[in-house]
Amino acid sequence: MHSWIALAPSDRQYGGMSTENLLTSRSLPIALLRARERVMGPIRAMLSDVGITEQQWRVLRVLQETGPLDPTRIAEEACLLLPSLTRILQKLNDKKLIRRKQDTSDRRKQIIQIAPKGEALIQANLVTSIAILEQIRDQMGPDRYDALLDLLNELDGSGINASLQDQP
């Protein structure tokens, strides 16, 4: 039995966190999901109009930003699981939005690059995408928007998951 159960509700502590921080309104995972949905709603609508998914868009944006990559790196950069990426790449290839070629140093590997049609799709939707993000930035204020991105990038690079997995 946990020691905080007998305490008054406002005084309960668990692992250094008050019960207020355990409510769903103060849950980091739920807050991140809610924020993601708020941001992605208008972007999904834009992508729906051009007939691609948000995952396909992420792959195209990664390839546009970084240049040709192998599928493992694409999966890492686009936050996708490799089995999902395989299907996504096939659909993008079918739509002629990417090109595949063999790696010259290791013929077992493929290198994926954005095709001119994929580049054109990004360019055709870049103004809308930027407008969506600028609206969010304006609503939050530039300083808070930039601070949020900095905090999220810090959380992403902090190794928190690795340290949590090491605990008993």
Side-chain angles (χ1 to χ4, degrees):
M1 181 176 269
H2 296 292
S3 60
W4 57 264
I5 292 176
L7 300 173
S10 61
D11 295 334
R12 290 184 185 162
Q13 293 282 317
Y14 185 75
M17 293 182 74
S18 71
T19 54
E20 177 184 315
N21 289 331
L22 299 176
L23 299 173
T24 57
S25 63
R26 298 294 300 163
S27 166
L28 180 61
I30 291 175
L32 289 170
L33 287 169
R34 287 178 179 147
R36 181 184 192 282
E37 289 309 307
R38 167 72 176 85
V39 170
M40 289 307 300
I43 293 172
R44 277 192 205 106
M46 174 193 76
L47 297 175
S48 176
D49 291 343
V50 295
I52 66 170
T53 66
E54 66 183 88
Q55 294 85 1
Q56 292 169 345
W57 177 257
R58 289 199 317 255
V59 169
L60 292 174
R61 292 282 290 122
V62 163
L63 291 171
Q64 180 204 37
E65 186 176 308
T66 62
L69 291 174
D70 67 272
T72 301
R73 283 289 314 279
I74 295 170
E76 290 169 5
E77 295 295 321
C79 301
L80 295 165
L81 297 174
L82 202 50
S84 298
L85 179 65
T86 302
R87 289 187 303 276
I88 292 165
L89 291 177
Q90 185 58 52
K91 290 186 187 239
L92 290 172
N93 193 57
D94 292 346
K95 294 177 181 187
K96 311 260 188 276
L97 298 173
I98 62 166
R99 292 182 180 155
R100 299 174 188 240
K101 63 180 180 178
Q102 279 188 330
D103 186 332
T104 55
S105 63
D106 185 345
R107 299 182 82 36
R108 296 170 295 171
K109 292 183 180 179
Q110 283 190 357
I111 299 296
I112 312 298
Q113 68 183 55
I114 192 166
K117 187 176 174 182
E119 185 73 46
L121 186 137
I122 288 175
Q123 292 305 317
N125 292 282
L126 202 53
V127 170
T128 304
S129 178
I130 290 169
I132 291 167
L133 296 176
E134 281 181 347
Q135 182 179 14
I136 294 167
R137 184 181 171 106
D138 290 346
Q139 288 172 350
M140 291 185 71
D143 291 342
R144 290 178 63 214
Y145 181 90
D146 290 340
L148 177 61
L149 282 175
D150 291 343
L151 288 168
L152 291 171
N153 285 325
E154 182 180 323
L155 180 62
D156 180 44
S158 69
I160 287 175
N161 276 346
S163 65
L164 289 177
Q165 291 172 354
D166 292 340
Q167 293 189 8

